[in-house]
Amino acid sequence: MIHVGELASAYLDGETTPKEAARLVAHLADCDACQREMADLHAARSVLRSLPVLELPESIRVDLGLSHDVVPFRRRPAAWVGAAAAAVMIFVAVATAAAPDSVGLTLVEVSAQYEQQTLVGGGVSPVVGLVRAGGGE
Amino acid sequence: MPLAWNFSSNSGVPYGGTEVSEDDRLIAEARAGHTAAFGQLVKTYQNRLFNTLAHYVGSPEEAEDVAQEAFVQAFVKLDSFKGDSAFYTWLYRIAFNISVSRARRRRPETSIDRAKDVGGKEPQGMDESPSHQLERKERVELVQSALRELNDEYRAILILRELEGCSYESIAEVLELPIGTVRSRIHRGRKMMREALT
């Protein structure tokens, strides 16, 4: 007898074709081992789905002192990426608050700046340039 | 408990539904230079991305860093987004690639003990007794620990499937895998979880 194997998981997820589903149901009717496996798979699925939804810690938003909605992340001084991200979030927040429909730079220009600074400046944050340019320098 | 993020009930429906067109509009505006539109995308997806990453990497701090980097990369590369997949799928692909890359760099530090670090702000039951809270906390830690012990390839797929509710097709897009591989890894991943928890 050929057991259902991974077809069982696909069936639980509604990812089988009608033909596969019919084959599985017919097999399950006569196979205790596959019935047990099905129950085990269902249990594993349920236990994962019971994991809590994690929200961004409130302290992260408070630490920034910036827009609660748009700027979720804190600055990480040791990582240029963190600084870059904070910078872009700040820029986005400022742009959101101050001039939602009129920002001087296009993303093409931002990308160009990023590529240029990556080539020339090594580890310089790409978005620092963005903030400066957006700040009217 | 229902799916952590049920697409049908979330405002940012990434795979089908009307919200995808809202993403398209925001992306078009961001490309046209309206950076605030990108801020709206961040606002829409930041919590969901954080939740998934926190479970995947096992640390809220690492999840935070990866999410930051993912949003920066998405912003910078927005012009290269073809629209073949949903924005959220594309964002997830970026985030998972960053996670993998960072994990490779710091592999020696990785430990299953980090499973206990997964935190963030977890919703609490208002009428739950302290003993039940403790019991639930221990149960969650057990599951998180088992999840952390899985290989990355299984953990990523299970999280996308069980916590995000992604279809097999969407998972295949995010992780750039054949759909048959997704199917077999979901099955094997569930079996491994079951074995670890019994």
Side-chain angles (χ1 to χ4, degrees):
Chain A
M1 180 185 288
I2 300 171
H3 294 291
V4 293
E6 66 190 43
L7 201 58
S9 276
Y11 181 75
L12 284 175
D13 294 330
E15 295 272 359
T16 49
T17 64
K19 191 178 174 182
E20 288 173 329
R23 182 163 73 84
L24 179 134
V25 170
H27 178 85
L28 282 180
D30 296 325
C31 182
D32 290 344
C34 283
Q35 285 177 23
R36 282 194 299 275
E37 179 164 350
M38 201 68 170
D40 283 350
L41 291 169
H42 190 271
R45 199 170 79 134
S46 298
V47 82
L48 282 168
R49 292 181 180 198
S50 72
L51 284 173
V53 176
L54 305 173
E55 297 174 11
L56 280 164
E58 191 67 23
S59 60
I60 291 175
R61 295 174 173 135
V62 172
D63 285 350
L64 271 176
L66 294 167
S67 166
H68 177 97
D69 290 334
V70 179
V71 189
F73 305 118
R74 69 178 165 219
R75 190 186 301 271
R76 288 185 162 280
W80 75 267
V81 171
V88 79
M89 299 307 172
I90 291 166
F91 180 77
V92 167
V94 169
T96 304
D101 291 314
S102 60
V103 176
L105 286 177
T106 67
L107 286 172
V108 174
E109 291 168 325
V110 172
S111 298
Q113 283 189 12
Y114 171 64
E115 286 168 13
Q116 196 172 24
Q117 290 188 14
T118 303
L119 288 173
V120 175
V124 176
S125 159
V127 205
V128 170
L130 168 64
V131 173
R132 284 177 186 149
E137 286 184 14
Chain B
M1 189 181 198
L3 282 180
W5 294 104
N6 189 332
F7 286 170
S8 62
S9 63
N10 190 282
S11 61
V13 183
Y15 306 113
T18 56
E19 293 296 329
V20 171
S21 61
E22 173 71 1
D23 283 358
D24 292 342
R25 184 183 66 76
L26 291 169
I27 289 163
E29 286 184 13
R31 281 176 166 157
H34 302 161
T35 318
F38 189 80
Q40 190 59 42
L41 288 168
V42 172
K43 181 181 172 184
T44 300
Y45 293 122
Q46 60 191 13
N47 280 320
R48 294 173 58 173
L49 186 62
F50 173 80
N51 175 60
T52 300
L53 289 172
H55 285 296
Y56 178 60
V57 301
S59 150
E61 290 80 14
E62 177 67 4
E64 193 189 320
D65 283 348
V66 173
Q68 283 178 338
E69 195 170 339
F71 278 121
V72 170
Q73 283 197 20
F75 183 70
V76 170
K77 295 177 179 174
L78 197 57
D79 278 337
S80 72
F81 174 63
K82 306 291 185 200
D84 297 334
S85 58
F87 172 77
Y88 195 55
T89 303
W90 183 68
L91 177 66
Y92 258 49
R93 194 180 304 147
I94 291 172
F96 272 91
N97 285 338
I98 291 168
S99 298
V100 169
S101 171
R102 289 170 63 102
R104 280 193 189 127
R105 287 202 299 267
R106 58 170 177 70
R107 181 63 70 191
E109 296 174 19
T110 304
S111 161
I112 58 170
D113 291 338
R114 292 176 65 82
K116 293 175 182 172
D117 294 340
V118 176
K121 182 184 170 189
E122 179 185 331
Q124 300 289 327
M126 294 294 287
D127 53 355
E128 201 172 26
S129 70
S131 65
H132 279 122
Q133 282 182 24
L134 183 63
E135 193 180 306
R136 184 168 57 85
K137 188 170 181 288
E138 287 173 351
R139 196 168 60 243
V140 165
E141 284 179 0
L142 202 63
V143 177
Q144 287 172 336
S145 177
L147 194 56
R148 282 294 303 170
E149 288 189 66
L150 292 183
N151 285 342
D152 292 351
E153 57 195 18
Y154 294 106
R155 190 168 64 255
I157 278 184
L158 286 182
I159 287 170
L160 286 172
R161 175 63 208 161
E162 314 296 12
L163 301 186
E164 277 294 332
C166 291
S167 68
Y168 287 15
E169 186 182 358
S170 299
I171 295 170
E173 280 182 18
V174 171
L175 299 177
E176 297 177 295
L177 293 170
I179 202 158
T181 305
V182 171
R183 182 191 264 212
S184 62
R185 284 187 187 171
I186 284 176
H187 183 66
R188 291 177 64 188
R190 281 177 178 155
K191 288 183 78 168
M192 286 188 274
M193 280 298 293
R194 186 63 180 159
E195 284 165 17
L197 293 169
T198 51

